[in-house]
Amino acid sequence: MLFGRTRKNPIKIADKGVVEWKYATCGYCSTGCSIEVGFNAAGKAVSSRGVADADVNRGKLCLKGIFEHELFDSAGRGIVPKMRDYWHQGWQETNWDTALDRVHDEIRRIQDQHGRDSFAIISTGQMLTEEFYTLGKLTRGLIGTNNYDGNTTLCMASAVSGYKRSFGSDGPPGCYEDFEHTDFLIAWGTNLPEQHPIIYWRLKEAQEKKGFPLVVVDPRVTMLAQNADIHLPITPGTDVVLQNAFMHVILKEGLQDQAYIDANTSGFEELKSEVEKYDPTTAARICGIDEDSIRHVARCFAKSPAAMQIWTMGINQSTHGSDGVVGINNLALLTGNIGKPGGTSLSITGQCNAMGTREWSSCSGLPNYRMLEIPEHREEVAKFWNIDVEFFPKKRGMLQTDIYHAIESGQIKGLWLIATNPLSSLPNTARIRKAMEKLEFCAVQDCYEDTESAQYAHVYLPAGTWAEKDGVMTNTERRINRVKPVATPPGQAKPDLWIFNRMAERFNKDGKVSFPEKAADIFLEMRKLSVGRLSDISGMDHQLIENSRGIQWPYTKNEKDSGEPPPKGGKRLYTETASFQYADGKAKLIPLPFIDNNEVPDDEYPVWLNTGRLIEHWHGRTKTGKIGNNNKYSPIPFIEINPDLCKELGIRRGDYVRLVSRRSDAVAMAQPTARVPKNMVFLPFHFHDCANRLTLGLLDPYSRQPAYKQSAVRLERIADQKEAACLSMEMRKF
């Protein structure tokens, strides 16, 4: 046989001398994989492996998780606090007390001179939940600014807004186990094999056993689309049109679950009137999907005993991302696919603890989905924290994307950035850079000192990362997972919780507000605040969470006391009739008129720009760009470009091209592929000074999430390829 094909060669794994394995939860995406880090006899982290008895990943890890232990020793880690008077000066090393005093004094100076809300705080989705809760208490209860948000606005705000509009509260109603029960699955704007590989494995394993059809709605032939039964290559930004057309068919043919609608929803007649306008023939001309496919998919979805929908950024990152989420919920409610096995609308969350910040950070209100707009919520939390209820604002302040515009216009004078890098992650970065230059004071708290945004900092606070800290995280399916400090931060770097507590001491001189030092004690405080809420965690503690390899909320004290064990993985919301979070217990069916405010290709900018993720990288590459086994796959930015467009423009594989939008330009290497149509290019967003030089800054009116997915560009082949290669490398630096 050629090449010895019949000879079996067992896989050989290098012996790294591991003498001890320590438990944690992966700190990259929202899947929530249980992970163990292996240490050698010298105490050095040398390996990572999945945990076999964890229900989420069942021993598996993706490419990022396999090498996650290398984060502890990666380049660019901050090891000492630093200060300077002006952002363009060199750094001077200092001690913690001096650095924290400076931050405290500048916050108070700016607030005294310009008002309480003239100072803004922006955090992340990558800290631990106890840290989020403590920062929220510090910000809402002591500092008092209402301009406080997280970078989760860039990825999950539309899902949050859509859930609130439809169901009365945030909180994904389904779980991973639904893959095992569903009879039909629509994936909207999601590429699980690269974005969430372990969730994709769960999906494929279930599909192989059950054989349900998979429909993928995506303008690009993604890996998921390649494995789909039906691929609907939608025109970017027209998801609402397709959703309305599906509902038109369902209602026209009487395929809706009228008994479920009558018992569990309001607004049916208004929705019916709106979708009447979106017959498949009309919708096809807008969304680019032929009318026969629209009718076929709508019928299959409605006739399936249980039908499921999932989505990620292809829906969320749009000028009408919130409407897209509401449209998914409308479809689920019309067909009775909420609260039952295999029937759900499940947002696939982005960051490892974006759910934790949604639940406990107080960014969008107060802890555990409480709202500043509701007096009873303000009074309850004020009493619990021992502060004056009048100290709370009466409504939520600016979101992250609006905060930078307020810096630009002079409303906000100071900024505290925590584990986020807006100069890489926000759209139209030239505009963000000009705004950052205007700040009177900026503090950056991050585990890496070489982030692009640290250029504009006056104080740098070195923080710990991932499993150098103690606490919990919540994953996509509402499962709370344990993270243990298996390593210590380098040099003088400290866990974020330590930094927040030391800062609280400076604002809490009289000690009237309690700030526990240990994450386990903070969790016990959170438990008390959760009793009776949608996200009730009163039956949990750190040890039980670890022993269970994660517990889905809600899990109450009453359930625990009655001997009911934590759910294995099939906990769902809204399983009872009229159990939604509105006062009448009913979900809202919301009409969705299509407002075409997308930037679309024209004669000057004739090509769609689509952006997204790669399996080997994480967000702005601050982490994975420094890990060789991740970075080697994609060390520089590239575009997927259709071969016919290459031929038309005289571009060859490996050529550097300039992409030009109405905002700026960027340089990337051309990789011809038929995965994108002739009028579109795909550009991974991970690289600094690249995709977000081009992207559109328009925001969704409900979620304030940017439209990263619908921009228009033109392409220019660069004559001097050597110069272009140097420029591409130079643009990765600051």
Short mmCIF file of all heavy atoms in Angstrom, two decimals, residues 404-459:
data_model
loop_
_atom_site.label_atom_id
_atom_site.label_comp_id
_atom_site.label_asym_id
_atom_site.label_seq_id
_atom_site.Cartn_x
_atom_site.Cartn_y
_atom_site.Cartn_z
N TYR A 404 -16.94 57.60 24.08
CA TYR A 404 -15.85 58.17 23.28
C TYR A 404 -16.30 59.40 22.50
O TYR A 404 -15.51 60.33 22.29
CB TYR A 404 -15.25 57.10 22.36
CG TYR A 404 -14.50 56.07 23.16
CD1 TYR A 404 -15.10 54.88 23.54
CD2 TYR A 404 -13.21 56.31 23.60
CE1 TYR A 404 -14.43 53.95 24.31
CE2 TYR A 404 -12.53 55.39 24.37
CZ TYR A 404 -13.15 54.21 24.72
OH TYR A 404 -12.49 53.30 25.51
N HIS A 405 -17.55 59.42 22.09
CA HIS A 405 -18.07 60.63 21.45
C HIS A 405 -18.14 61.77 22.46
O HIS A 405 -17.91 62.94 22.11
CB HIS A 405 -19.45 60.36 20.86
CG HIS A 405 -19.44 59.35 19.74
ND1 HIS A 405 -20.59 58.80 19.23
CD2 HIS A 405 -18.42 58.80 19.04
CE1 HIS A 405 -20.28 57.95 18.26
NE2 HIS A 405 -18.97 57.94 18.13
N ALA A 406 -18.47 61.44 23.71
CA ALA A 406 -18.54 62.46 24.75
C ALA A 406 -17.15 62.98 25.12
O ALA A 406 -17.00 64.15 25.50
CB ALA A 406 -19.24 61.91 25.99
N ILE A 407 -16.14 62.14 25.02
CA ILE A 407 -14.76 62.61 25.20
C ILE A 407 -14.42 63.59 24.08
O ILE A 407 -13.84 64.66 24.31
CB ILE A 407 -13.77 61.43 25.19
CG1 ILE A 407 -14.02 60.50 26.38
CG2 ILE A 407 -12.32 61.94 25.22
CD1 ILE A 407 -13.23 59.19 26.30
N GLU A 408 -14.81 63.22 22.89
CA GLU A 408 -14.55 64.05 21.70
C GLU A 408 -15.17 65.44 21.85
O GLU A 408 -14.56 66.44 21.47
CB GLU A 408 -15.13 63.32 20.49
CG GLU A 408 -14.80 63.89 19.14
CD GLU A 408 -15.38 63.03 18.04
OE1 GLU A 408 -16.58 62.68 18.11
OE2 GLU A 408 -14.65 62.71 17.10
N SER A 409 -16.37 65.50 22.42
CA SER A 409 -17.06 66.78 22.55
C SER A 409 -16.76 67.50 23.87
O SER A 409 -17.32 68.57 24.12
CB SER A 409 -18.57 66.57 22.42
OG SER A 409 -19.05 65.73 23.46
N GLY A 410 -15.91 66.91 24.71
CA GLY A 410 -15.48 67.58 25.93
C GLY A 410 -16.35 67.34 27.14
O GLY A 410 -16.11 67.91 28.21
N GLN A 411 -17.38 66.49 27.04
CA GLN A 411 -18.24 66.21 28.19
C GLN A 411 -17.53 65.33 29.22
O GLN A 411 -17.77 65.46 30.41
CB GLN A 411 -19.52 65.50 27.73
CG GLN A 411 -20.42 66.32 26.85
CD GLN A 411 -21.53 65.47 26.26
OE1 GLN A 411 -21.46 65.00 25.14
NE2 GLN A 411 -22.57 65.25 27.05
N ILE A 412 -16.69 64.43 28.74
CA ILE A 412 -15.95 63.53 29.63
C ILE A 412 -14.48 63.90 29.56
O ILE A 412 -13.89 64.00 28.48
CB ILE A 412 -16.19 62.06 29.24
CG1 ILE A 412 -17.62 61.67 29.62
CG2 ILE A 412 -15.18 61.14 29.91
CD1 ILE A 412 -18.02 60.29 29.20
N LYS A 413 -13.89 64.09 30.75
CA LYS A 413 -12.51 64.57 30.85
C LYS A 413 -11.53 63.50 31.32
O LYS A 413 -10.32 63.66 31.14
CB LYS A 413 -12.45 65.74 31.84
CG LYS A 413 -13.39 66.90 31.52
CD LYS A 413 -12.97 67.63 30.26
CE LYS A 413 -13.84 68.88 30.06
NZ LYS A 413 -13.44 69.62 28.83
N GLY A 414 -12.04 62.45 31.97
CA GLY A 414 -11.15 61.42 32.50
C GLY A 414 -11.70 60.04 32.25
O GLY A 414 -12.91 59.85 32.08
N LEU A 415 -10.80 59.04 32.24
CA LEU A 415 -11.18 57.69 31.85
C LEU A 415 -10.33 56.67 32.60
O LEU A 415 -9.11 56.83 32.72
CB LEU A 415 -10.99 57.52 30.34
CG LEU A 415 -11.40 56.21 29.68
CD1 LEU A 415 -12.91 56.00 29.80
CD2 LEU A 415 -10.99 56.21 28.21
N TRP A 416 -10.99 55.62 33.10
CA TRP A 416 -10.30 54.47 33.70
C TRP A 416 -10.63 53.26 32.84
O TRP A 416 -11.77 52.81 32.80
CB TRP A 416 -10.78 54.30 35.13
CG TRP A 416 -10.11 53.20 35.92
CD1 TRP A 416 -9.06 52.42 35.56
CD2 TRP A 416 -10.48 52.78 37.25
NE1 TRP A 416 -8.74 51.53 36.56
CE2 TRP A 416 -9.59 51.72 37.60
CE3 TRP A 416 -11.47 53.17 38.15
CZ2 TRP A 416 -9.67 51.07 38.84
CZ3 TRP A 416 -11.55 52.53 39.37
CH2 TRP A 416 -10.66 51.50 39.72
N LEU A 417 -9.64 52.75 32.10
CA LEU A 417 -9.81 51.59 31.23
C LEU A 417 -9.30 50.35 31.95
O LEU A 417 -8.16 50.33 32.43
CB LEU A 417 -9.00 51.77 29.94
CG LEU A 417 -9.50 52.78 28.91
CD1 LEU A 417 -8.50 52.87 27.76
CD2 LEU A 417 -10.87 52.40 28.39
N ILE A 418 -10.12 49.30 31.98
CA ILE A 418 -9.78 48.09 32.71
C ILE A 418 -9.87 46.89 31.77
O ILE A 418 -10.96 46.51 31.32
CB ILE A 418 -10.72 47.90 33.92
CG1 ILE A 418 -10.65 49.13 34.84
CG2 ILE A 418 -10.36 46.63 34.68
CD1 ILE A 418 -11.82 49.25 35.79
N ALA A 419 -8.71 46.33 31.43
CA ALA A 419 -8.62 45.11 30.61
C ALA A 419 -9.35 45.24 29.28
O ALA A 419 -10.00 44.31 28.81
CB ALA A 419 -9.14 43.90 31.40
N THR A 420 -9.25 46.41 28.68
CA THR A 420 -9.83 46.61 27.36
C THR A 420 -8.95 47.57 26.57
O THR A 420 -8.22 48.37 27.15
CB THR A 420 -11.27 47.14 27.46
OG1 THR A 420 -11.85 47.19 26.16
CG2 THR A 420 -11.34 48.53 28.09
N ASN A 421 -9.03 47.47 25.25
CA ASN A 421 -8.09 48.16 24.38
C ASN A 421 -8.84 48.82 23.22
O ASN A 421 -8.86 48.31 22.11
CB ASN A 421 -7.06 47.14 23.85
CG ASN A 421 -5.95 47.80 23.06
OD1 ASN A 421 -5.74 49.01 23.12
ND2 ASN A 421 -5.23 46.99 22.31
N PRO A 422 -9.50 49.95 23.48
CA PRO A 422 -10.37 50.56 22.46
C PRO A 422 -9.66 50.96 21.19
O PRO A 422 -10.29 51.01 20.12
CB PRO A 422 -10.96 51.77 23.18
CG PRO A 422 -10.03 52.06 24.32
CD PRO A 422 -9.50 50.72 24.74
N LEU A 423 -8.37 51.27 21.25
CA LEU A 423 -7.67 51.66 20.03
C LEU A 423 -7.50 50.49 19.06
O LEU A 423 -7.14 50.70 17.90
CB LEU A 423 -6.30 52.25 20.36
CG LEU A 423 -6.31 53.75 20.67
CD1 LEU A 423 -4.91 54.25 20.97
CD2 LEU A 423 -6.89 54.54 19.50
N SER A 424 -7.76 49.29 19.52
CA SER A 424 -7.76 48.15 18.63
C SER A 424 -9.17 47.68 18.31
O SER A 424 -9.46 47.26 17.20
CB SER A 424 -6.97 46.99 19.25
OG SER A 424 -6.93 45.89 18.39
N SER A 425 -10.07 47.79 19.29
CA SER A 425 -11.37 47.12 19.17
C SER A 425 -12.52 48.01 18.70
O SER A 425 -13.53 47.49 18.24
CB SER A 425 -11.75 46.50 20.52
OG SER A 425 -11.80 47.48 21.53
N LEU A 426 -12.41 49.32 18.81
CA LEU A 426 -13.51 50.19 18.40
C LEU A 426 -13.45 50.52 16.91
O LEU A 426 -12.35 50.60 16.34
CB LEU A 426 -13.51 51.48 19.21
CG LEU A 426 -14.12 51.38 20.62
CD1 LEU A 426 -13.83 52.64 21.41
CD2 LEU A 426 -15.62 51.15 20.54
N PRO A 427 -14.59 50.75 16.27
CA PRO A 427 -14.58 51.12 14.85
C PRO A 427 -14.05 52.53 14.65
O PRO A 427 -14.08 53.36 15.56
CB PRO A 427 -16.06 51.02 14.45
CG PRO A 427 -16.80 51.26 15.72
CD PRO A 427 -15.97 50.67 16.82
N ASN A 428 -13.59 52.78 13.43
CA ASN A 428 -13.12 54.12 13.05
C ASN A 428 -12.07 54.61 14.04
O ASN A 428 -12.23 55.64 14.71
CB ASN A 428 -14.30 55.09 12.96
CG ASN A 428 -13.95 56.36 12.22
OD1 ASN A 428 -12.81 56.55 11.78
ND2 ASN A 428 -14.93 57.24 12.08
N THR A 429 -10.96 53.88 14.16
CA THR A 429 -9.98 54.13 15.21
C THR A 429 -9.30 55.49 15.11
O THR A 429 -8.83 56.01 16.12
CB THR A 429 -8.90 53.02 15.22
OG1 THR A 429 -8.40 52.82 13.89
CG2 THR A 429 -9.46 51.72 15.75
N ALA A 430 -9.25 56.07 13.94
CA ALA A 430 -8.67 57.40 13.82
C ALA A 430 -9.44 58.39 14.68
O ALA A 430 -8.85 59.27 15.34
CB ALA A 430 -8.64 57.85 12.36
N ARG A 431 -10.75 58.24 14.70
CA ARG A 431 -11.59 59.12 15.51
C ARG A 431 -11.37 58.84 17.00
O ARG A 431 -11.32 59.77 17.81
CB ARG A 431 -13.05 58.90 15.14
CG ARG A 431 -14.02 59.85 15.83
CD ARG A 431 -15.44 59.63 15.34
NE ARG A 431 -16.38 60.53 15.97
CZ ARG A 431 -17.69 60.52 15.76
NH1 ARG A 431 -18.21 59.65 14.91
NH2 ARG A 431 -18.49 61.38 16.38
N ILE A 432 -11.22 57.58 17.37
CA ILE A 432 -10.99 57.22 18.77
C ILE A 432 -9.64 57.76 19.25
O ILE A 432 -9.51 58.26 20.37
CB ILE A 432 -11.05 55.69 18.95
CG1 ILE A 432 -12.39 55.14 18.44
CG2 ILE A 432 -10.83 55.30 20.40
CD1 ILE A 432 -13.61 55.77 19.08
N ARG A 433 -8.64 57.67 18.39
CA ARG A 433 -7.31 58.17 18.76
C ARG A 433 -7.36 59.67 19.07
O ARG A 433 -6.78 60.14 20.06
CB ARG A 433 -6.33 57.89 17.62
CG ARG A 433 -4.88 58.25 17.93
CD ARG A 433 -3.97 57.90 16.77
NE ARG A 433 -3.92 56.48 16.55
CZ ARG A 433 -3.14 55.64 17.21
NH1 ARG A 433 -2.35 56.10 18.18
NH2 ARG A 433 -3.13 54.35 16.94
N LYS A 434 -8.06 60.43 18.25
CA LYS A 434 -8.16 61.88 18.49
C LYS A 434 -8.88 62.16 19.80
O LYS A 434 -8.54 63.11 20.53
CB LYS A 434 -8.88 62.55 17.32
CG LYS A 434 -8.07 62.58 16.03
CD LYS A 434 -8.86 63.22 14.90
CE LYS A 434 -8.06 63.23 13.60
NZ LYS A 434 -8.85 63.80 12.47
N ALA A 435 -9.91 61.33 20.11
CA ALA A 435 -10.63 61.52 21.36
C ALA A 435 -9.73 61.24 22.55
O ALA A 435 -9.71 62.00 23.53
CB ALA A 435 -11.86 60.61 21.40
N MET A 436 -8.95 60.16 22.50
CA MET A 436 -8.07 59.80 23.61
C MET A 436 -7.04 60.89 23.89
O MET A 436 -6.67 61.13 25.05
CB MET A 436 -7.36 58.48 23.31
CG MET A 436 -8.28 57.27 23.25
SD MET A 436 -8.81 56.67 24.86
CE MET A 436 -7.33 55.88 25.46
N GLU A 437 -6.60 61.57 22.85
CA GLU A 437 -5.61 62.64 23.03
C GLU A 437 -6.17 63.81 23.82
O GLU A 437 -5.41 64.58 24.41
CB GLU A 437 -5.12 63.12 21.65
CG GLU A 437 -4.28 62.10 20.90
CD GLU A 437 -3.90 62.57 19.50
OE1 GLU A 437 -4.32 63.70 19.13
OE2 GLU A 437 -3.20 61.83 18.79
N LYS A 438 -7.49 63.94 23.87
CA LYS A 438 -8.11 65.09 24.54
C LYS A 438 -8.31 64.88 26.04
O LYS A 438 -8.64 65.83 26.75
CB LYS A 438 -9.47 65.39 23.89
CG LYS A 438 -9.38 65.84 22.44
CD LYS A 438 -10.74 66.22 21.90
CE LYS A 438 -11.27 67.48 22.58
NZ LYS A 438 -12.53 67.96 21.97
N LEU A 439 -8.12 63.67 26.53
CA LEU A 439 -8.38 63.39 27.94
C LEU A 439 -7.43 64.15 28.86
O LEU A 439 -6.23 64.22 28.60
CB LEU A 439 -8.25 61.88 28.21
CG LEU A 439 -9.36 60.98 27.66
CD1 LEU A 439 -8.93 59.53 27.73
CD2 LEU A 439 -10.66 61.20 28.44
N GLU A 440 -7.98 64.70 29.94
CA GLU A 440 -7.13 65.30 30.97
C GLU A 440 -6.39 64.24 31.77
O GLU A 440 -5.27 64.46 32.24
CB GLU A 440 -7.98 66.14 31.92
CG GLU A 440 -8.55 67.41 31.31
CD GLU A 440 -9.29 68.26 32.33
OE1 GLU A 440 -9.16 67.97 33.55
OE2 GLU A 440 -9.98 69.21 31.93
N PHE A 441 -7.05 63.07 31.94
CA PHE A 441 -6.41 62.00 32.69
C PHE A 441 -6.96 60.66 32.22
O PHE A 441 -8.16 60.51 31.95
CB PHE A 441 -6.69 62.14 34.19
CG PHE A 441 -6.14 61.01 35.01
CD1 PHE A 441 -4.79 60.95 35.31
CD2 PHE A 441 -6.97 59.99 35.47
CE1 PHE A 441 -4.27 59.90 36.05
CE2 PHE A 441 -6.47 58.94 36.21
CZ PHE A 441 -5.11 58.90 36.51
N CYS A 442 -6.06 59.67 32.09
CA CYS A 442 -6.46 58.32 31.71
C CYS A 442 -5.63 57.32 32.53
O CYS A 442 -4.40 57.41 32.58
CB CYS A 442 -6.23 58.07 30.22
SG CYS A 442 -6.60 56.38 29.68
N ALA A 443 -6.32 56.39 33.18
CA ALA A 443 -5.65 55.28 33.86
C ALA A 443 -5.95 54.01 33.09
O ALA A 443 -7.09 53.76 32.69
CB ALA A 443 -6.16 55.17 35.29
N VAL A 444 -4.92 53.19 32.87
CA VAL A 444 -5.08 51.91 32.20
C VAL A 444 -4.68 50.81 33.17
O VAL A 444 -3.56 50.81 33.69
CB VAL A 444 -4.24 51.83 30.91
CG1 VAL A 444 -4.18 50.39 30.40
CG2 VAL A 444 -4.82 52.73 29.83
N GLN A 445 -5.59 49.90 33.41
CA GLN A 445 -5.36 48.73 34.27
C GLN A 445 -5.42 47.50 33.38
O GLN A 445 -6.47 47.18 32.82
CB GLN A 445 -6.43 48.68 35.36
CG GLN A 445 -6.36 47.49 36.30
CD GLN A 445 -7.40 47.60 37.39
OE1 GLN A 445 -7.67 48.69 37.91
NE2 GLN A 445 -8.00 46.49 37.77
N ASP A 446 -4.31 46.81 33.23
CA ASP A 446 -4.25 45.71 32.28
C ASP A 446 -3.11 44.78 32.65
O ASP A 446 -2.12 45.21 33.27
CB ASP A 446 -4.04 46.24 30.85
CG ASP A 446 -4.49 45.27 29.79
OD1 ASP A 446 -3.84 44.22 29.62
OD2 ASP A 446 -5.51 45.54 29.12
N CYS A 447 -3.21 43.52 32.28
CA CYS A 447 -2.11 42.59 32.54
C CYS A 447 -0.95 42.82 31.58
O CYS A 447 0.18 42.41 31.86
CB CYS A 447 -2.60 41.15 32.48
SG CYS A 447 -3.29 40.65 30.90
N TYR A 448 -1.22 43.48 30.44
CA TYR A 448 -0.16 43.81 29.49
C TYR A 448 0.07 45.32 29.48
O TYR A 448 -0.88 46.10 29.42
CB TYR A 448 -0.53 43.33 28.08
CG TYR A 448 -0.54 41.83 27.94
CD1 TYR A 448 -1.73 41.12 27.99
CD2 TYR A 448 0.64 41.12 27.79
CE1 TYR A 448 -1.76 39.74 27.88
CE2 TYR A 448 0.64 39.74 27.67
CZ TYR A 448 -0.56 39.05 27.72
OH TYR A 448 -0.57 37.68 27.62
N GLU A 449 1.34 45.71 29.50
CA GLU A 449 1.66 47.13 29.52
C GLU A 449 1.84 47.70 28.12
O GLU A 449 1.98 48.92 27.96
CB GLU A 449 2.93 47.38 30.33
CG GLU A 449 4.19 46.74 29.77
CD GLU A 449 5.42 47.00 30.63
OE1 GLU A 449 5.27 47.66 31.67
OE2 GLU A 449 6.51 46.52 30.26
N ASP A 450 1.85 46.84 27.10
CA ASP A 450 2.12 47.31 25.74
C ASP A 450 0.87 47.36 24.86
O ASP A 450 0.96 47.30 23.64
CB ASP A 450 3.19 46.43 25.08
CG ASP A 450 2.80 44.96 25.02
OD1 ASP A 450 1.73 44.60 25.55
OD2 ASP A 450 3.57 44.16 24.44
N THR A 451 -0.32 47.46 25.47
CA THR A 451 -1.52 47.62 24.65
C THR A 451 -1.50 48.99 23.96
O THR A 451 -0.91 49.95 24.48
CB THR A 451 -2.80 47.51 25.49
OG1 THR A 451 -2.90 48.64 26.36
CG2 THR A 451 -2.83 46.23 26.30
N GLU A 452 -2.15 49.09 22.82
CA GLU A 452 -2.14 50.33 22.06
C GLU A 452 -2.74 51.49 22.87
O GLU A 452 -2.28 52.63 22.80
CB GLU A 452 -2.92 50.14 20.75
CG GLU A 452 -2.21 49.27 19.73
CD GLU A 452 -2.29 47.79 20.04
OE1 GLU A 452 -3.21 47.39 20.78
OE2 GLU A 452 -1.42 47.02 19.55
N SER A 453 -3.79 51.19 23.64
CA SER A 453 -4.46 52.26 24.39
C SER A 453 -3.61 52.80 25.52
O SER A 453 -3.83 53.93 25.98
CB SER A 453 -5.79 51.75 24.93
OG SER A 453 -6.64 51.35 23.87
N ALA A 454 -2.63 52.02 25.99
CA ALA A 454 -1.76 52.50 27.06
C ALA A 454 -0.89 53.67 26.62
O ALA A 454 -0.31 54.37 27.46
CB ALA A 454 -0.87 51.36 27.57
N GLN A 455 -0.82 53.91 25.31
CA GLN A 455 -0.10 55.09 24.82
C GLN A 455 -0.63 56.38 25.45
O GLN A 455 0.11 57.33 25.65
CB GLN A 455 -0.28 55.23 23.31
CG GLN A 455 0.28 54.13 22.47
CD GLN A 455 -0.15 54.34 21.03
OE1 GLN A 455 0.38 55.20 20.34
NE2 GLN A 455 -1.12 53.57 20.57
N TYR A 456 -1.94 56.40 25.72
CA TYR A 456 -2.58 57.63 26.16
C TYR A 456 -2.85 57.66 27.67
O TYR A 456 -3.57 58.51 28.15
CB TYR A 456 -3.89 57.83 25.37
CG TYR A 456 -3.61 58.00 23.90
CD1 TYR A 456 -3.81 56.96 23.00
CD2 TYR A 456 -3.07 59.19 23.41
CE1 TYR A 456 -3.52 57.10 21.66
CE2 TYR A 456 -2.77 59.34 22.07
CZ TYR A 456 -3.00 58.31 21.20
OH TYR A 456 -2.69 58.45 19.86
N ALA A 457 -2.23 56.73 28.39
CA ALA A 457 -2.44 56.65 29.83
C ALA A 457 -1.48 57.57 30.57
O ALA A 457 -0.35 57.81 30.14
CB ALA A 457 -2.26 55.22 30.31
N HIS A 458 -1.96 58.07 31.73
CA HIS A 458 -1.11 58.81 32.65
C HIS A 458 -0.67 57.94 33.82
O HIS A 458 0.33 58.24 34.47
CB HIS A 458 -1.86 60.04 33.18
CG HIS A 458 -2.28 60.98 32.10
ND1 HIS A 458 -3.44 60.80 31.36
CD2 HIS A 458 -1.70 62.10 31.61
CE1 HIS A 458 -3.55 61.79 30.47
NE2 HIS A 458 -2.51 62.59 30.61
N VAL A 459 -1.45 56.89 34.09
CA VAL A 459 -1.10 55.91 35.11
C VAL A 459 -1.34 54.53 34.53
O VAL A 459 -2.38 54.29 33.90
CB VAL A 459 -1.94 56.10 36.39
CG1 VAL A 459 -1.67 54.96 37.38
CG2 VAL A 459 -1.64 57.44 37.05
#
